[in-house]
Amino acid sequence: MTNWVGRTAAEIAAAVREKRATPREVVAEHLARIEKLDGRVGAFRVVRAEAALAEADEVGSRDDLGELPLAGVPVAVKDNLAVRGETNRVGSTATPDTPADADHEVVARLRAAGAVVVGLTNVPELCVFGTTEGVHGTSRNPWDTSRTAGGSSGGSAAAVAAGLVPVALGNDGMGSLRIPAANCGLVTLKPGSGVVPAGISDGDWFGMSENGPLATTVEDARLLLSVIAGTEFVRRDAPATLDVAVSLRSPLAGVTINAPYAQAVREAAGLLIKAGHQVRRADPPYPLSLGVTSLATWTAGTSVDAQGLDPRLLARRTRVHAAIGRRFVRTVWKGKARQELRERLEPFFAEHDVLLLPALARRSPKAEPWHERGWLRNVLANTNYSPLTPPWNLTGWPAMSVPLGILPSGAPAAVQLVGRPGSETVLLEVAQELERRRPWRRTAPLD
């Protein structure tokens, strides 16, 4: 009997299409692994074991099985996206405990492509912070379970890194895909504005939040992104030689990059030089006001999401975050600061095709009850380890996290790739080049 756990989504889908495997046996094997390991990882809030097996049988009986790009592939969905028949709690007891009557558009696209939703993954309350813990559980990094998986797509990242599913769906408002992907050794791409249907919470955090894939290979990330975007990100006429800017500067003054993440960037730069690209040091002209803009937008997004919820049921850090954000909502909606940031950075990206920089400044915080701690302590912990992702949500430009390098603990390090609007395919090509030249271990050794 073939074991499908640990296989890529592309391999599983090909086997199901060719009838070398059935969706039921693939899903059943992954459900068994979830039952065995998720107590240590904390990836899932809800596991849909019975429903997933029934849906796997439905996929297996489809007349178009041989054409489905995700035929029989088990997927996990972040618990801020509607899954038909399941509650959508967004990490909180303040949200309605009412089953969704329809799938979110990107979930519907996954199912139309033959994927089977095996469960909904843990998030921090209202998806605010870069650590995942709260009333529904704590998501740990499968490579180092003493550390958080990151956030807010922490449960989805933990599920993929632990081999509980081959791919998962998450989203990114200030780094919520790239932060946990970097912690957990995964590939992700936050698409640029308008590439993938968003519809995340109330207003997509002023248009900054984007849905995207979490995967163990660039091929799987490309496959999942193509399905949810409704367009193929195939190799096109990307330039043979790219101009790659390399930066080790934090966008936030006073935050330094720790040695393993700086070394990962240097290694990636060396690999791209060997691939024939023009690689040179160049720092984006980040404005000094970037920290204020980020904080105002971050808190204001939470303030909008918290409207109508009983504040007595929210954690104190969430209440404070939302209360601070209320004074910024009107200003943030106008979008002046974000437009000024785009205009400031556009000349840099006119000169350079891709920006290579660290994905994180340091390893993730310990997996502890951060939701019980004060607001300022949470903000400082988040800012000190993940200052490099928010600028690209503020601009609305595509950005990737790609595994590269190893931390002293043995957990993966990662680099970030950023491009101008419409450069998703170019970023995927650069990531594929890094993967080809420096393959990474795809799943954590939990067995």
Side-chain angles (χ1 to χ4, degrees):
M1 177 179 174
T2 302
N3 185 0
W4 297 104
V5 168
R7 301 295 189 93
T8 68
E11 290 171 335
I12 290 170
V16 170
R17 286 194 300 267
E18 296 164 9
K19 299 190 175 180
R20 292 183 284 113
T22 67
R24 172 173 272 268
E25 68 182 283
V26 171
V27 169
E29 287 182 16
H30 285 84
L31 288 172
R33 186 169 177 84
I34 292 170
E35 184 175 8
K36 176 183 176 183
L37 295 178
D38 197 42
R40 294 164 56 189
V41 175
F44 287 93
R45 179 182 73 84
V46 171
V47 177
R48 309 177 65 247
E50 185 176 340
L53 290 171
E55 291 167 18
D57 289 338
E58 292 174 7
V59 171
S61 66
R62 285 176 58 168
D63 292 337
D64 60 348
L65 180 66
E67 303 167 8
L68 300 177
L70 293 174
V73 174
V75 299
V77 173
K78 185 177 180 179
D79 192 25
N80 67 341
L81 296 171
V83 173
R84 185 182 65 251
E86 303 294 341
T87 58
N88 186 211
R89 301 311 302 270
V90 201
S92 181
T93 58
T95 51
D97 188 17
T98 307
D101 56 10
D103 289 329
H104 185 285
E105 175 60 25
V106 292
V107 176
R109 290 183 179 189
L110 290 179
R111 283 179 152 158
V116 178
V117 178
V118 298
L120 284 78
T121 57
N122 276 319
V123 299
E125 187 171 57
L126 303 190
C127 297
V128 175
F129 294 101
T131 59
T132 294
E133 66 292 301
V135 294
H136 299 300
T138 297
S139 294
R140 299 173 180 272
N141 185 346
W143 295 92
D144 180 357
T145 54
S146 71
R147 299 276 161 178
T148 178
S152 63
S153 304
S156 284
V160 177
L164 310 183
V165 287
V167 288
L169 190 62
N171 38 56
D172 190 316
M174 293 288 272
S176 289
L177 280 166
R178 287 160 290 155
I179 294 167
N183 285 329
C184 297
L186 302 178
V187 181
T188 192
L189 192 154
K190 179 198 77 67
S193 299
V195 174
V196 174
I200 306 158
S201 301
D202 296 316
D204 302 325
W205 272 20
F206 310 99
M208 294 195 309
S209 292
E210 303 292 345
N211 290 310
L214 287 155
T216 63
T217 66
V218 176
E219 179 185 27
D220 273 5
R222 187 195 302 264
L223 173 60
L224 201 66
L225 182 67
S226 296
V227 168
I228 62 177
T231 183
E232 287 192 67
F233 291 88
V234 296
R235 297 190 178 193
R236 291 196 285 260
D237 296 327
T241 301
L242 297 170
D243 188 299
V244 180
V246 179
S247 176
L248 294 174
R249 176 190 168 195
S250 168
L252 300 183
V255 179
T256 58
I257 311 299
N258 277 12
Y261 287 99
Q263 180 59 27
V265 171
R266 295 188 186 100
E267 290 179 14
L271 296 173
L272 295 179
I273 290 171
K274 290 180 181 178
H277 299 298
Q278 181 176 336
V279 179
R280 48 184 166 150
R281 286 291 298 269
D283 294 325
Y286 302 117
L288 289 175
S289 60
L290 182 58
V292 174
T293 300
S294 297
L295 182 64
T297 311
W298 183 23
T299 57
T302 301
S303 180
V304 173
D305 287 351
Q307 290 176 1
L309 300 180
D310 185 344
R312 296 170 299 179
L313 298 177
L314 296 173
R316 183 174 179 272
R317 67 174 182 176
T318 309
R319 291 199 306 271
V320 173
H321 208 72
I324 290 171
R326 277 197 292 272
R327 70 195 69 185
F328 299 122
V329 170
R330 186 171 298 178
T331 300
V332 172
W333 271 123
K334 293 177 182 177
K336 181 181 178 182
R338 294 179 63 200
Q339 181 58 34
E340 289 175 350
L341 179 63
R342 282 190 288 266
E343 291 172 356
R344 185 181 179 97
L345 293 175
E346 279 168 354
F348 181 87
F349 282 90
E351 183 178 355
H352 306 286
D353 299 304
V354 174
L355 170 63
L356 168 65
L357 70 166
L360 299 172
R362 60 194 66 185
R363 66 176 178 170
S364 62
K366 289 186 177 181
E368 295 179 346
W370 288 94
H371 62 296
E372 297 175 357
R373 295 177 176 168
W375 174 81
L376 183 59
R377 191 172 177 186
N378 272 274
V379 168
L380 290 176
N382 279 244
T383 300
N384 285 331
Y385 104 95
S386 58
L388 296 124
T389 55
W392 318 115
N393 297 91
L394 292 166
T395 60
W397 297 343
M400 290 191 73
S401 180
V402 182
L404 203 144
I406 300 292
L407 303 180
S409 66
V415 299
Q416 188 176 188
L417 303 171
V418 182
R420 61 178 73 100
S423 65
E424 286 83 3
T425 298
V426 172
L427 296 183
L428 287 164
E429 290 302 307
V430 175
Q432 195 119 45
E433 186 68 39
L434 292 174
E435 182 181 26
R436 186 177 73 81
R437 292 176 177 270
R438 187 69 57 82
W440 49 80
R441 192 171 181 180
R442 292 179 40 248
T443 56
L446 284 170
D447 291 326

